[in-house]
Amino acid sequence: MKKLLIANWKMHYGPIKAGAWIRAFRRERLPKDVDIAVAVPFVSLAAARASLGRASIPALAAQNVFWAEEGAFTGEISPSMLKEFGTEYCLVGHSERRAHLGETDEMVQKKAAALQKAGIIPVICVGETEAQRKRGEANKVVRAQVQAAITDLKMDGKVPVAIAYEPVWAIGSGKPCTAQEAKQMHEVIRVVLQKKLGAGADEIRIIYGGSVDLRNVSEYVTTTGIDGCLVGGASLDPRNFGLLCRAANPA
Ligand code: PGA
């Protein structure tokens, strides 16, 4: 399975800066054996696509979606709208959305299913808070998040899905979870996927996110069971993200 690296710009870069980022990133020497995507704000999808043209590296990703196809949902964006930009991936349930916008497991589940139906790969974000980890509830919390999110997903002949394990305490904190801690949680997640989805579950990439940078990325991607990384802060500079992608390339 190829490793997957996703840049998550979060709320950075409108169309002007997005276009410049894509052009600069495309000048980097990018590895062929790593799948690379960039999750941009909705308003920057068009500019990112224009800078990419027909190129598919990096693949385009969105950071959120709504589950209905169209209708009276002011301010929301549907999977088919994302498709118009050739969007290949979409994050769902990022902990910042869960924390600031009240996104629930039920919403995450509906969004993931709607994306899969539209042919966009949902990247389902899960992770425990520091308090939950201290109370010894990390496995239970993450298991429940994954179970809820995959309720309506299908494996047969459908676009795959991906899971991003992002412990909340490791995001933007400079305190990354160790590769061994991440590996343990990825094993917990893998079991949940296998129970629900059978053999097809082994095709699902489980990536790690939370303070990934140039110094630690290779440790994550060389650890068995970690299928790539979701990178926030360290992806804002295109040069740096290019270096990170190279560091994730299998030797
Ligand atoms: P970070 O963010 O790399 O800045 O910690 C990761 C994420 O939230 O996706």
Side-chain angles (χ1 to χ4, degrees), residues 8 10 94 96 166 170-172 210-212 230-233:
N8 176 15
K10 311 192 179 187
H94 191 283
E96 286 149 16
E166 296 205 299
I171 295 177
S211 297
V212 174
L230 181 52
V231 186

Side-chain angles (χ1 to χ4, degrees), residues 134-154:
K134 285 207 173 115
R135 289 199 298 268
E137 296 170 357
N139 290 3
K140 191 180 91 185
V141 167
V142 170
R143 214 181 271 127
Q145 287 175 335
V146 176
Q147 263 159 2
I150 64 174
T151 311
D152 292 331
L153 295 181
K154 311 257 179 311

Side-chain angles (χ1 to χ4, degrees), residues 199-229:
D202 294 339
E203 309 292 304
I204 297 177
R205 283 190 281 208
I206 306 175
I207 65 177
Y208 167 76
S211 297
V212 174
D213 60 24
L214 203 45
R215 284 164 304 165
N216 59 26
V217 66
S218 62
E219 191 181 347
Y220 290 115
V221 295
T222 52
T223 299
T224 315
I226 302 183
D227 305 315
C229 293

Side-chain angles (χ1 to χ4, degrees), residues 156-174:
D156 297 344
K158 294 278 183 186
V159 295
V161 302
I163 309 283
Y165 170 54
E166 296 205 299
V168 178
W169 48 272
I171 295 177
S173 64

